[in-house]
Amino acid sequence: MQLGRGDFDKDYISAKDQFCASWKTSDPESGVLRSELAVCSSINPSDCVQQYLDVGNKSSVCIANLALKEGVHYVTTIRSTNMVRFWVKILGSMG
């Protein structure tokens, strides 16, 4: 299974309550069943404003109603699962 970054890698976001992410997931042998996304502080990965959220087989998502703090560098973690229940996790970058 392959997982890569998408198009929303930004150095700065102006919204204090919304976070967008995109990624590329593929599995030519069995197909991708679902992806999950978490948004966490890059300094303390256990400090998450969004725990893993099942987003189905989407490859981009915007999550609203988050308590984002000014000056904090956030990263996304994507966990994708294929049809045979094998999963891969990638720590993405936001900036």
Side-chain angles (χ1 to χ4, degrees), residues 3-44:
L3 186 62
R5 280 189 240 150
D7 302 323
F8 287 126
D9 193 17
K10 308 283 185 200
D11 289 331
Y12 173 80
I13 56 175
S14 58
K16 293 184 179 180
D17 66 345
Q18 180 175 317
F19 194 94
C20 296
S22 68
W23 58 94
K24 296 177 183 173
T25 307
S26 65
D27 187 336
E29 294 170 353
S30 72
V32 175
L33 176 65
R34 70 167 193 238
S35 292
E36 298 166 286
L37 169 108
V39 180
C40 306
S41 162
S42 64
I43 302 294
N44 182 3

Side-chain angles (χ1 to χ4, degrees), residues 3-5 21-25 34-38 52 55 58-59 61 75-81 87-92:
L3 186 62
R5 280 189 240 150
S22 68
W23 58 94
K24 296 177 183 173
T25 307
R34 70 167 193 238
S35 292
E36 298 166 286
L37 169 108
Y52 281 108
V55 296
K58 294 180 184 176
S59 61
V61 67
V75 295
T76 56
T77 303
I78 307 296
R79 187 168 58 191
S80 290
T81 306
W87 62 270
V88 64
K89 180 167 87 170
I90 187 170
L91 179 64

